[in-house]
Amino acid sequence: MMLEKFVMVKFLQDSVVDPVDTEWFGFLKTGQAKETETLQESVLYKEDRLGLAAMDKAGKLVFLKTEGDHLQFTREWFVDNLIPFLRS
């Protein structure tokens, strides 16, 4: 809750993190191993167990996505999309 922003990056062709939706705190639906639910659909969020719902309502959650595999982004993408959050 003390964070100014919590930035999450989803790599759309990630071959390491499975399922890819977990990069944005998505979860596998209960009782199976294929379908996912978004963070906002999860009990964790709805019951605000980690404060993520409160942070979301306060505009503190940032969901970024980029093409490519796990942690594969260009310097330009990093500078344009992540550096602004590191400057205060």
Side-chain angles (χ1 to χ4, degrees):
M1 292 297 297
M2 295 177 64
L3 295 174
E4 290 181 32
K5 296 285 182 186
F6 178 24
V7 180
M8 295 166 272
V9 179
K10 182 192 289 189
F11 295 87
L12 298 175
Q13 287 79 37
D14 201 316
S15 64
V16 175
V17 177
D18 184 36
V20 172
D21 292 335
T22 60
E23 294 175 339
W24 282 354
F25 270 82
F27 298 88
L28 290 169
K29 290 183 178 179
T30 304
Q32 51 81 52
K34 286 206 176 235
E35 293 182 49
T36 59
E37 62 187 9
T38 66
L39 168 64
Q40 292 80 0
E41 294 170 325
S42 72
V43 173
L44 179 78
Y45 183 89
K46 290 176 181 176
E47 294 180 0
D48 206 11
R49 295 180 184 173
L50 297 176
L52 295 172
M55 290 179 70
D56 196 13
K57 288 180 179 83
K60 292 182 172 188
L61 297 186
V62 178
F63 298 89
L64 301 178
K65 61 184 172 183
T66 185
E67 297 296 327
D69 201 353
H70 191 70
L71 298 177
Q72 301 300 307
F73 46 80
T74 65
R75 179 179 179 87
E76 180 181 2
W77 187 90
F78 184 86
V79 168
D80 291 346
N81 293 279
L82 294 176
I83 293 296
F85 293 106
L86 300 175
R87 296 184 178 139
S88 46

